[in-house]
Structure formats: structure tokens, C-alpha cells
Amino acid sequence: MSEFSVIGKPVRRIDGLEKVTGAAQYTTDIKLPGMLIGKMLRSPHPHAKILNIDTSAAEKLLGVKAVITGPRDTLGVKYSNWRRYPHLMDETALAMDRVRYIGEPIAAVAAVDADVAEEALSLIEVEYEILPAVFDPLEAMKDGAPQIHEGPTVRNNVSEARHFEFGNVDEAFKKCDYVREDTFYLHPVIHAFIEPYNSVARYEGDGKLTIWTSTQTPYYIQTLLAMALGLKEGNIRVIKPHVGGGFGGKMELFSDQVVAAILSMKTGKPVKVELTREECFEGGRRRHPMYYTLKTGYMKDGTILAKEAKLYTDGGAYNAMGPTSLYLSGFFQMFPYAIPNYRYDGFHVYTNKTPATAMRGFGGPQAEFTCDSQIDMIAEHLGMDPAEIRLKNRMKPGHVIPGLAKVESCGIKECIERAMESTGWKEKKGKLPKGRGIGMGCYGFMSGGVFNWINSPYAYSGAMVRVNVDGTVDVYIGSAEIGQGSDTVAAQIVAEKLGVPMSDINVVRGDTRTCPPDLGAWGSRQTLMVGNALIMACDQILDKLYKTAAALMGPNVVYDYAAKDGRVFIKERPERGLDFVEVVKAAIRADEGNQLIGRGYYTPHDKGMVSPAYSFGAQVAEVEVDEETGKVTLLQVTTAHDCGQVINELGVEGQLEGAFVMGQGYTLSENLVTDQGKILNPSFVDYKLMRAPDVPENFTSLMVETYEPEGPFGAKEAGEGLTNPNAGCIANAIYDAIGVRITDMPITPEKILKALDEKKKKEAKG
Amino acid sequence: MRDFDYIAPKSVEETIKVLSEYKDEAKIIAGGQSLLNILKQDLMAPEILVDIKHLSELDYITYDEKEGMRIGATTTHHAVEVSPLVIEHYPILSEMEHTLAFPQTRNWGTIGGNLCIQDPTGDVAPPLIALRATVKIVGPNGERILPMEDFSTDYYETVLEEDEILAEVRIPPMAPRTGVAYSKFRIVEGDAPIVGAAVAFTLNEDGTCADARIATNGTAPIPLRIPDAEAVFKGKKITDELIQEAVEVAGEAMECIPDIVASDEYKKRVAKVYIKRMARKALSQIQ
Ligand SMILES: Cc1cc2nc3c(=O)[nH]c(=O)nc-3n(C[C@H](O)[C@H](O)[C@H](O)COP(=O)(O)OP(=O)(O)OC[C@H]3O[C@@H](n4cnc5c(N)ncnc54)[C@H](O)[C@@H]3O)c2cc1C
């Protein structure tokens, strides 16, 4: 199996050249003749009734071509990805009669340029009746708290509760030698994609609309835009140019998309709506803040028998993808450990803040911070090596989570062992000089979700492959390249299957008019799902090519054939074969010139409640803490990741490094600070992202290869899992270095100093 | 960002004329590294930008044994960072520039722009104060020279009148037996400092302190020279105890402003740590 031509190799990205030369087109580069600029007016209040909107002065301003408001100019349809669960759909493009967070769009204008549009916004007069607001989920759940949404399924601002349970948790706790309970707080952060939300809509009349937009999910935009505008899905063409990052923040229909479309319909001109960075903060999304309580029961030998997790998430003003983050956080709380008795209760609570949604890791980063921190506390209590207790409780291949999942391939043991070996864990753990420490974090993650919230009748991924007479190959996919390298992976899979060079593959993507429907880039699903669809499509083509080759060669026995290195040949007798192009030509001629096309699709079958396959990994970080300032320096970070069969080594490495840096910022510096619902740091000056010089110089990516039967060539995810262990890993290393444990994130230098002060005080008291 | 007109005068003289004519409607732009951000956020909307970046008469680094160094206002951070003259005579300035922002910003941003924007956390002023620098200001009535520490007046405010520009930074030659150190605290590398400290010591032949200079950034609305803390060392042999004493005195002078990233107490605490560390480092250069 290992004799691959391109699979598993460090392949250059197919969009790399145009990106590094600046030739790649993003939505901001789309400029159409007569194009107008659209801007949105946003709420200055966290919670208010809208009594009246007067747009007359704005309409009179020279250069203004249209002004729209929710009640007057939209259908007022509540939409979201939750089409299958309509009670969760709670958001409209523009406010209808009430605003629920600062930054919520109320009205929009289209004008000849941005200055005029801005001026017009300042002329719109909105009359508000200010309502009491609530900003903390625990407050919001209390009786008498302001109610942010009405509706039969919402009670005390809880829009969704998740519960799962298996084994006998209460009995198991009684049997345990020890039970400990710890609480944690996770803070809000933003996706911080470099490309802001951006859309250009062009209404072509007759109910036909084209929209260029920065999205992770072109198909969702197509269906939901149809719903919001009252148009037919098929008459809406969504084009996704290159996308400058999404991280979960661009997988829903957003106001810029709807507003651009309506303004274009009103004016008959193309309209661009591009958000500023401040708007991306205020009118965008964030990762869920969470209050976590973990109760874990364990035996003297370190075996974990039972766990109970309770979670309150600060969902913000609308559900967005919150209910799934809630579900997955409770689910990943178990990973990568075999917990025999588990109970989870999670509550998604509305607050008057920007909605929180999916963000790289999808509930996992919060879960693993709490889980990894607590496992180290348990290890310390028992005097065990934290690596050993992890190995002891790890999942094994074939592990079943009752009612939820079956884990087929699982390389967590190898991951932990290789990370230990590569970092010198045994020599270092607990033995480093004061101020230096080493810590571990572990994780497992899904390779795509089995979720079909959008209620699509289509397969989760579709693919079409066409081989041209000169042997070049056109690959049509609906999956979304957003910088993660998925188009390159798709090209590799086809190149490998058909035995043609990468340079002969042309990927057609990012256009719902020409590409098959696909659920898009979220949940680390694309390699596995579109990969499987591509394999099916290629197999159809190979079937025709093999038959043609057999007819051309006419051997007197029936053989199996293979395609590799530009040849189609008899598997057992590789010297007997034909040139790939020759066989392709013959196959097309034999079919009366009909194009040589293969079509494939993939939808998970019988794969439990979460995912068809799970990645695993272990991370070790070595830190140095400056005890006078509290600053943490990362000396060395090593991650061993099991993504099944590696498809693109460079791609996996890039994802592992990128995910770590994101986690590093989550842990040490990033924090979306609000006061009464107002974001206080809506810029990259005040919101502290890690930058290139902060990346630890010693970063090692180890790829642990397993074979995943459900994955294409045995592959699994490599995009998100690694965002999950960073915080726990770094927190554990800090504890090893200076003996203080921070349980409320982020771990800032100031918090470390405070904790050190307290520790000193306690020690002084004896 | 609002529309504006753009003028690129051919000389300092013409620049002053333009400024005198348009007064507060005009704004100087040098590298634009700070100004463009301010314009983008609509915090300021000048009618006219007066571009001085290309004025070669403001772009130079010279050194004279008696007079010391002169750096023209539009000299870029990068030019200061790599200047052999700077590296030879005031290596601390090259070190400081090396950690200021990123190569892109250092290639565009100028030393004059950095001082004139008067961000209280700016990197450039504290080491210049420690080096006893002065600044040359040019206006319609000619030149005036001020000590570096008297240039800033408040947050984002300097002594410059609307029709004046900062033309030059002057640094006297270093006295023998002098050590200078500067460093800053950041949570994220390449970011503006949270606080920083520059310390310079000149010792007498007998090893006692002839002169001390202490300046901090991020601890007050302006770069803060702390004479009371400097005075602790005068005429004495510098010891760790003495440094600690000066650090405590310095703490009294600071009025740190809390922000999203750090509280005022934390900033003060860290600034004190940096004064201590820089004092030890400066001393180690001479002993
Ligand atoms: C990403 C980034 C990171 C940064 N990091 C740091 C850092 O770590 N440390 C730090 O100290 N700074 C930092 N800065 C700020 C920046 O380095 C300085 O502000 C910059 O050097 C300013 O120089 P400029 O020539 O670009 O000034 P401009 O932006 O052109 O001008 C700044 C201001 O000074 C005025 N001005 C400029 N020159 C003159 C003159 N000769 N006479 C009168 N007025 C004048 C302008 O009118 C304007 O008000 C950073 C900036 C960026 C963008």
C-alpha cells in the first residue's frame, strides 16, 4: 500500500503560486461596472425595542441609491443552518423590531462610494426603547432575568439543553477510591481570519442572482439565501473566490450576503458589502465562553471510572452554531479516554452579546483544557506520571461510546509514546530547574460530522471527474478551499487514483453553478468526505479504462488492471500495458465520443451520532516562566498527530503548526473583552493575536500513521484536532514550572503573578 | 478613511510654508505607519497630507567626535538599526530598533514620526533620554533645540506648533565609563511595549556613580524621566541594594494607566522589574 506516487508526499499547494505572487483573487478584488458600496447601520444598544426607523434624510443624500430596513424591505425570514430544527432558527438579516446585541444590523444603504454610504448611515434615525440586558449566562438563567427571546422552546434564556449519559455514573462514583470536582472558566475569542466578511451581489433580473462571497459553505449560502430572498435555490449562483481564512466563522449565512443581494435587487446594480475589521468584531461571531464543572471518579491505580460534566455556555444573542458546540464539547470531553460511565449536561444560554458559534475545534478546545487540566491534578494527587495516567485510560481501536460513536482506528498510544520519546519527557518531567516545566495534552477529533442540520437531500459531498482526450483531468468539487489546502488534497487523490501527474489536474471549485453540492468546510470533513466521493468517481472512470485496455491488449485470460505513472497495465504483469492517453482516447471513441466522466458521492452510513472517523494526538510543551513578570515563553512544542494515512505531508505540517499558534494565542493572550455588551478591543492593536515571532522555534510535528477503513486511502482529519490540547498542555507545563494552576482562561502574565503571590502567602503561613 | 489632498514639498522651507498656510487643516505624513492607522479609524480627518518622507535633507546619520550624532527626522528605523555609526557609538539604539515592530514597519516608519506621534509606550524616546539626546525643531521663526525629555507634553501631544516640524535628533558623545541598557515588556512579540525602561550609568574613576539616567515608557502620559530615582545613585557605589532603593523611588513617580491587557499595578510592578534589570545590565557593561 505504501507505493504511492503522490499520496503522503510533501506536495506543493496547487494555489500556492498565485497566492505568493499576489495574483489570487479574493472577494475584495471583485469590481464590477457600476458597482455600488453597501454599508450597514448597527445597534449601539445591547438590548432594545426598535420603535421607529426614519430613513428619509438618508434617502435624500446625493449618491445614495437605496436604503433598506428589516420590516420594510426584507421578508423577515428567520434563517440559519438549523433548517431541520426550525425552533433553533432565530436570526434575521436586519433587525425586525428588536436588537439583542451591540453591532446587530438594523438598516443598510447602497451608495456610489463608501464615504457617501457612511454619511447616509449617520442620517438614519432610529428610535429605541432600551430594554434591560444580561451579559452572563449564569445571570441570564435566573428567574426574573431579561428574556432575550420568546418562544415555546426557550426558558430562562436556555435555548437548548443537551444531555447524554451511559453506564451507571452514580454507582460508579460510589465505587471510586477518590472523586474530585473542579470548575473552570473559558473566555471568548474571535476567529481572526485575515480576510473580513465580504460579498458582491449582482441581481440579473428574472429571479436570478450571482453572489461572490467569502464563505466556508457555498451550498449553505445558496440554500439559505434562497430562503431569505424568496428565490429559487437553483437560480442563485454562489461563487467563492479564494478565501482568507474562516475557522468556523464563515459557515453561516450572514447579513452582508443578504443585504448585498437585496440592495442589488433594489438598485439593479451590483453591490459590494465589505465589513471593516471593527465590524468583524462587533457584527461577527466568537468562540463560546464556557463555565465548566467536572466531577471525576478514579481508583488508586489511576483508572478513571466515571465522569460527570456540566456546562453553561454563553451563547450570545442568537443560536448560530452554538447548539452543536454545546453537544460536541460534551462529547470531546471524553476524548481520548475510555470513560466507562459518563454523564453530560450542557446548557446553551442567550446573552446580549455577539453570537458565539463554531470555531476551530468546535467545543473541543474548551473541553480539552478542562479535561487535560483535571487529569494532571489527578495524576499529581496519585503521584503518577501524567503521561502514564493518560496511557492507562486511553481509548483503543474499536472503542465504542454507547449510543454515540464507534472509534475504528486509534493511534493515541503511539502518539503519546512518540511525543514522550521525542521530547525526553521521562528525563524532564518534574526534573527541570525551577521556572521551567513540561506538560502534556491529548485529544481526539472528528473527521467530519454526520450532522445534516441544513436538511439537504443531497449527499454530504459530491464529485465529478472528467478525463480529457489529452489525459488532463478536470475535477469538479463543491468542497471549500479556505486556505487549509483541501483543493490540493483533492487533486492528489485524483492524481493517485488515475496515475497522472499533479500538473495534469485542474480543479474546478467554488461555484455552485458548476460544482456538485457539498456541505462545505467545517468539522474537518473535506478530506474524508470529498476524498471518498472522488475515489468513487475515479473508480467509475478506471472501470471504463480497464475494460478498454483489456479490449485493446486482448490477453487470453482475465486480469486485474492498474493505472500509474501515465500507464494502464496488467497488475500482475506491469510490463504489459498501454499509455494512459491512448487508452483514454480509445475509451472515448468507443463510447461514440461521449465525455469520459465519473461521478461520486459520500454520505456517512451507520456512523453513530457524531463522525465517521476520529483523529488522535498528543502534545508536549516545555515552557519557561519569568517569575518576576509572569511571562510564559514556549521553549519547545511537539505534537504527534494520528491522521490516518497522511495525504499531503506539507499540508498536515502546516495545519498542525497553524492550529498550535491559534491555541497558543487562545491560551496566553487573546481575549475578547466586553463591558455591558460593548467590545472594548475591536482591533488587532488591542486584541492580542500571536504573530510570527511568537511561534516557538522548536516546533516538531510527528505524524503517526494509522489506517482508517472509512477514510480515502485510510486518511482522517488534520485541521482542527490540534487546536484542542494546547491550553491544557501549556497550563500543565506552567504548573510543572512554578506550581501554580490557572483554571480561568486566558493564562495572562498578570494572573500568573497573582497566583504566585497567593502561593507565596500560603507557604509563608505554613 | 476620508479623502484628502496630498502635497509633497521639495524642501523643509517649503514644508514650513505649506504648514503655515494650512495650519490645522494640514498634517505631516512621514512613513505613515502610525498616521494611516489613525486615519483609517477616522480618529482624525485632515484635509491635506504633507509628505516629507522623500526629503533627503532630513534623511541622514552623521557622527562627530565632539558633537556626537545627528539623525535626520525622516531616517527610517531600519536605517538606524543597521547604521555602522550607530552600532559603533550607540549600540543600544540599534538594539532598540531591532525589536521595534517588524521589518515592514521599520522600513517605512521614521524616527521623527515615532517621536512626533508621542505614543506613551513608544520605544524610541526612553533610550534617547538616557543618552541625553536633544531635538531640533524647525518653524517659520527658525530653529529651537530642546532636551528630549521636554519634547512630549501629553498623550499624543508634543511641544510642536502647527507650523513646526521635528528636524533632527542629536546625541552627545558617550562619556567614558558609561553603560546604557533598554528593554521592554510585551506579551506578544512585535507588539508595542506595555512598559519599558532605559537606564544609563556613568561612573567616576573610583567606581562611584558620576551620573545616572532613568527613563521609562508606558508608565505615564509621556516618556518618563525619573530624576528622583537617578539621584539615589549620585556619588555612590552602585549596589543591588541601591538599585532596589532607586526602583522603589521610581515606582512612586509612575502613573500607569490600566488597559485591556494589564492593570495599573501590574504595569508598575513590571516597569520596576525592568528598571532593576536594565540597571544591572547597564552596570555590567562598565564593571
Ligand atoms: C505594526 C506596527 C507595530 C508597531 N510597533 C511599534 C513598536 O514596537 N514600538 C514603537 O515605538 N512603535 C511601534 N509602532 C509605531 C511606529 O513604529 C511609529 O509610530 C512609526 O515609526 C512612526 O513613523 P512614521 O514615519 O511612519 O510616522 P507617520 O505615521 O507618518 O506620522 C506619525 C505622526 O507624526 C507626525 N510627524 C511625522 N514626522 C514628523 C516630523 N518630522 N515633524 C512633525 N511631525 C511629524 C505625523 O503628522 C503624525 O501625526 C508600530 C507601528 C505599526 C504599524
Side-chain angles (χ1 to χ4, degrees):
Chain A
M1 271 310 277
S2 63
E3 283 165 27
F4 292 126
S5 306
V6 281
I7 297 289
K9 304 282 186 299
V11 171
R12 209 177 70 185
R13 300 176 64 110
I14 60 171
D15 53 358
L17 198 62
E18 54 175 332
K19 281 185 173 167
V20 297
T21 56
Q25 290 238 320
Y26 294 80
T27 304
T28 196
D29 299 313
I30 307 290
K31 294 187 176 93
L32 302 175
M35 188 172 83
L36 303 173
I37 299 299
K39 294 249 171 219
M40 286 183 270
L41 180 72
R42 296 173 180 280
S43 169
H45 303 297
H47 200 186
K49 235 186 229 163
I50 298 175
L51 302 178
N52 188 41
I53 308 175
D54 181 356
T55 60
S56 54
E59 277 156 31
K60 282 188 205 121
L61 185 70
L62 193 69
V64 171
K65 302 295 177 186
V67 183
I68 58 170
T69 70
R72 194 179 65 198
D73 306 290
T74 72
L75 299 180
V77 176
K78 286 187 179 174
Y79 59 75
S80 75
N81 288 346
W82 297 102
R83 283 205 308 187
R84 182 182 282 266
Y85 308 95
H87 69 278
L88 294 175
M89 298 206 287
D90 54 7
E91 204 167 356
T92 55
L94 295 173
M96 294 305 287
D97 53 8
R98 196 157 143 194
V99 283
R100 296 178 173 87
Y101 67 95
I102 294 175
E104 182 162 359
I106 294 171
V109 300
V112 289
D113 64 32
D115 281 359
V116 176
E118 288 283 358
E119 202 180 331
L121 291 185
S122 70
L123 297 174
I124 298 174
E125 277 179 37
V126 187
E127 222 180 293
Y128 298 99
E129 178 192 327
I130 311 273
L131 299 172
V134 61
F135 306 106
D136 181 83
L138 303 181
E139 291 298 315
M141 286 177 76
K142 287 185 183 154
D143 285 334
Q147 298 298 297
I148 299 173
H149 288 267
E150 283 88 35
T153 59
V154 183
R155 177 157 315 142
N156 280 0
N157 290 313
V158 175
S159 74
E160 184 76 353
R162 300 283 198 179
H163 170 84
F164 41 80
E165 182 164 359
F166 53 80
N168 191 331
V169 179
D170 298 317
E171 279 304 306
F173 275 136
K174 282 186 209 148
K175 278 193 216 132
C176 289
D177 292 331
Y178 308 101
V179 175
R180 69 173 296 143
E181 189 174 298
D182 299 286
T183 58
F184 302 87
Y185 171 72
L186 287 301
H187 63 305
V189 293
I190 54 144
H191 303 82
F193 31 72
I194 293 305
E195 184 199 16
Y197 293 108
N198 200 346
S199 299
V200 178
R202 183 179 66 199
Y203 185 62
E204 284 131 14
D206 282 343
K208 294 185 196 292
L209 179 94
T210 301
I211 184 165
W212 290 258
T213 188
S214 177
T215 180
Q216 302 175 226
T217 50
Y219 173 67
Y220 288 0
I221 304 309
Q222 186 188 21
T223 63
L224 296 177
L225 203 50
M227 185 173 163
L229 301 174
L231 300 180
K232 280 190 176 166
E233 194 174 301
N235 283 338
I236 293 179
R237 179 178 180 194
V238 178
I239 299 176
K240 177 201 71 66
H242 283 298
V243 170
F247 308 107
K250 293 179 182 168
M251 60 171 291
E252 302 160 69
L253 181 67
F254 287 103
S255 295
D256 59 298
Q257 292 153 337
V258 183
V259 158
I262 296 177
L263 288 172
S264 180
M265 291 166 82
K266 292 251 172 228
T267 59
K269 298 265 169 80
V271 178
K272 176 183 270 183
V273 180
E274 180 168 19
L275 268 58
T276 62
R277 181 58 62 190
E278 289 70 24
E279 282 183 290
C280 288
F281 276 87
E282 293 207 325
R285 300 287 205 230
R286 53 192 181 121
R287 179 182 276 158
H288 288 89
M290 293 185 179
Y291 290 96
Y292 243 116
T293 304
L294 296 187
K295 188 171 158 189
T296 300
Y298 51 102
M299 305 305 285
K300 285 190 175 123
D301 71 350
T303 306
I304 295 173
L305 272 194
K307 188 167 184 173
E308 183 177 48
K310 204 164 222 176
L311 167 58
Y312 300 94
T313 71
D314 173 355
Y318 296 96
N319 277 321
M321 293 314 302
T324 305
S325 301
L326 182 77
Y327 185 73
L328 290 177
S329 200
F331 180 73
F332 290 126
Q333 182 60 249
M334 291 177 270
F335 278 70
Y337 308 110
I339 314 272
N341 303 282
Y342 181 62
R343 175 157 62 220
Y344 170 67
D345 279 291
F347 301 90
H348 184 267
V349 189
Y350 286 131
T351 57
N352 291 109
K353 294 195 280 200
T354 50
T357 197
M359 182 171 157
R360 199 173 189 176
F362 223 159
Q366 297 98 322
E368 297 293 17
F369 169 70
T370 61
C371 174
D372 268 323
S373 296
Q374 199 188 43
I375 290 225
D376 263 46
M377 299 182 208
I378 293 172
E380 190 192 21
H381 174 230
L382 296 175
M384 270 178 93
D385 179 344
E388 198 185 312
I389 194 168
R390 285 178 168 81
L391 281 169
K392 188 173 196 80
N393 289 287
R394 72 178 193 276
M395 283 180 185
K396 295 182 180 132
H399 179 73
V400 174
I401 303 177
L404 292 169
K406 176 155 188 218
V407 173
E408 291 290 347
S409 62
C410 172
I412 185 64
K413 176 170 182 278
E414 295 73 14
C415 289
I416 295 176
E417 286 169 354
R418 284 195 56 197
M420 287 171 75
E421 198 183 278
S422 151
T423 53
W425 174 270
K426 283 242 154 75
E427 294 78 57
K428 286 179 177 167
K429 176 64 195 157
K431 298 176 193 139
L432 290 169
K434 191 155 181 287
R436 276 173 62 179
I438 192 165
M440 181 179 279
C442 292
Y443 60 99
F445 199 69
M446 60 180 174
S447 310
V450 301
F451 321 123
N452 186 12
W453 327 284
I454 200 80
N455 210 12
S456 170
Y458 291 117
Y460 286 19
S461 276
M464 192 176 90
V465 176
R466 180 174 68 187
V467 184
N468 302 308
V469 287
D470 59 355
T472 58
V473 182
D474 299 331
V475 177
Y476 295 78
I477 46 175
S479 55
E481 169 70 68
I482 55 168
Q484 79 284 54
S486 61
D487 282 350
T488 304
V489 163
Q492 279 181 278
I493 287 173
V494 175
E496 187 70 47
K497 281 296 290 182
L498 300 181
V500 299
M502 283 290 283
S503 56
D504 280 353
I505 309 271
N506 296 297
V507 179
V508 183
R509 70 321 217 178
D511 185 343
T512 56
R513 180 79 24 98
T514 42
C515 301
D518 187 293
L519 299 188
W522 56 263
S524 296
R525 54 180 294 285
Q526 294 190 152
T527 292
L528 186 137
M529 297 203 187
V530 89
N532 281 334
L534 285 165
I535 285 178
M536 185 192 274
C538 289
D539 279 336
Q540 288 174 5
I541 287 170
L542 288 173
D543 187 53
K544 286 184 196 165
L545 293 182
Y546 293 165
K547 283 177 179 154
T548 308
L552 288 174
M553 290 197 281
N556 56 3
V557 273
V558 177
Y559 285 108
D560 281 346
Y561 286 76
K564 201 175 168 67
D565 300 334
R567 288 174 73 247
V568 179
F569 54 86
I570 295 170
K571 227 180 194 168
E572 280 184 5
R573 302 173 63 185
E575 73 285 358
R576 290 199 58 191
L578 295 166
D579 181 54
F580 180 76
V581 176
E582 201 182 315
V583 182
V584 166
K585 272 189 188 149
I588 290 175
R589 262 187 223 288
D591 201 16
E592 298 183 12
N594 193 9
Q595 298 176 80
L596 183 51
I597 286 176
R599 292 190 304 171
Y601 67 91
Y602 176 80
T603 297
H605 274 243
D606 227 1
K607 287 289 166 194
M609 299 295 286
V610 180
S611 177
Y614 299 89
S615 72
F616 289 91
Q619 182 173 82
V620 172
E622 200 178 324
V623 304
E624 186 167 44
V625 184
D626 182 332
E627 291 191 55
E628 283 185 316
T629 65
K631 182 161 173 168
V632 176
T633 305
L634 294 159
L635 302 173
Q636 177 190 317
V637 178
T638 298
T639 301
H641 182 78
D642 156 26
C643 60
Q645 166 68 46
V646 172
I647 304 279
N648 187 355
E649 198 185 305
L650 276 181
V652 174
E653 225 175 78
Q655 287 296 307
L656 295 183
E657 288 168 7
F660 177 75
V661 177
M662 211 163 163
Q664 182 187 350
Y666 180 51
T667 313
L668 298 173
S669 65
E670 290 182 46
N671 193 5
L672 188 72
V673 185
T674 54
D675 180 25
Q676 299 293 303
K678 174 90 186 147
I679 296 171
L680 300 182
N681 52 347
S683 79
F684 287 154
V685 174
D686 297 317
Y687 183 89
K688 300 293 179 192
L689 285 175
M690 292 287 168
R691 305 187 186 141
D694 298 289
V695 178
E697 270 175 49
N698 293 314
F699 187 97
T700 311
S701 310
L702 304 170
M703 286 160 223
V704 171
E705 286 186 310
T706 55
Y707 182 80
E708 170 54 47
E710 187 70 9
F713 296 102
K716 304 188 282 190
E717 84 80 44
E720 287 182 86
L722 185 62
T723 344
N724 300 349
N726 322 130
C729 177
I730 295 170
N732 289 339
I734 292 170
Y735 186 80
D736 189 46
I738 53 169
V740 305
R741 180 163 293 284
I742 310 290
T743 52
D744 76 308
M745 289 261 286
I747 307 177
T748 60
E750 191 162 355
K751 275 188 203 161
I752 289 179
L753 274 199
K754 250 189 211 142
L756 275 172
D757 287 350
E758 271 159 34
K759 185 175 162 235
K760 273 184 206 138
K761 253 191 240 154
K762 258 193 212 153
E763 282 168 359
K765 269 194 209 148
Chain B
M1 191 189 308
R2 302 291 159 136
D3 269 356
F4 49 79
D5 286 334
Y6 173 88
I7 300 179
K10 305 235 160 24
S11 63
V12 170
E13 205 186 323
E14 199 188 325
T15 306
I16 302 297
K17 255 193 219 139
V18 171
L19 291 179
S20 307
E21 192 180 334
Y22 294 103
K23 299 271 183 207
D24 63 350
E25 284 176 18
K27 194 81 203 154
I28 294 273
I29 180 162
Q33 294 303 292
S34 291
L35 188 67
L36 289 178
N37 284 331
I38 291 170
L39 297 186
K40 271 191 196 161
Q41 291 175 54
D42 274 343
L43 295 175
M44 193 194 275
E47 300 284 323
I48 301 158
L49 286 191
V50 183
D51 189 350
I52 58 165
K53 180 77 158 58
H54 58 282
L55 291 182
S56 52
E57 63 180 301
L58 290 178
D59 182 8
Y60 53 84
I61 299 175
T62 62
Y63 186 76
D64 176 279
E65 304 244 318
K66 283 209 192 82
E67 301 280 324
M69 179 163 278
R70 295 183 173 202
I71 306 177
T74 62
T75 308
T76 63
H77 295 296
H78 174 73
V80 176
E81 179 188 356
V82 300
S83 157
L85 285 177
V86 172
I87 292 168
E88 187 186 340
H89 298 288
Y90 313 97
I92 185 63
L93 282 186
S94 172
E95 268 173 48
M96 175 276 291
E97 293 286 17
H98 183 68
T99 62
L100 185 149
F102 297 104
Q104 292 95 320
T105 303
R106 296 203 289 273
N107 285 341
W108 275 95
T110 64
I111 190 161
N114 186 290
L115 295 173
C116 290
I117 192 71
Q118 217 305 93
D119 184 322
T121 66
D123 274 306
V124 179
L128 285 180
I129 293 173
L131 291 168
R132 303 154 187 287
T134 56
V135 288
K136 182 175 99 179
I137 295 165
V138 177
N141 309 321
E143 307 177 3
R144 52 185 180 130
I145 310 279
L146 283 182
M148 185 68 245
E149 61 267 34
D150 295 343
F151 180 67
S152 308
T153 52
D154 204 344
Y155 287 103
Y156 304 100
E157 306 251 354
T158 68
V159 297
L160 288 182
E161 302 289 337
E162 280 161 359
D163 49 9
E164 286 183 319
I165 65 164
L166 173 66
E168 185 177 271
V169 174
R170 297 179 175 178
I171 313 166
M174 283 236 256
R177 293 177 302 279
T178 297
V180 195
Y182 168 75
S183 183
K184 57 181 160 180
F185 178 74
R186 297 172 291 184
I187 295 176
V188 174
E189 297 299 313
D191 209 358
I194 293 172
V195 290
V199 176
F201 289 128
T202 301
L203 300 188
N204 293 312
E205 270 181 42
D206 66 0
T208 56
C209 177
D211 209 355
R213 281 253 175 161
I214 299 175
T216 52
N217 40 333
T219 57
I222 58 169
L224 192 65
R225 186 181 160 196
I226 313 176
D228 287 352
E230 294 168 359
V232 171
F233 297 105
K234 280 274 167 64
K236 296 196 187 132
K237 188 130 186 89
I238 301 170
T239 59
D240 241 21
E241 290 72 45
L242 211 55
I243 291 174
Q244 201 51 53
E245 191 187 325
V247 162
E248 293 309 323
V249 172
E252 295 300 311
M254 297 176 192
E255 352 156 9
C256 299
I257 305 292
D259 59 26
I260 284 157
V261 177
S263 70
D264 43 350
E265 299 114 75
Y266 178 74
K267 286 185 181 180
K268 186 186 272 197
R269 184 165 170 180
V270 175
K272 286 162 74 178
V273 169
Y274 271 69
I275 295 176
K276 177 180 78 185
R277 290 181 182 177
M278 290 309 106
R280 285 178 184 161
K281 191 170 169 196
L283 193 62
S284 74
Q285 291 169 6
I286 355 171
Q287 278 179 343

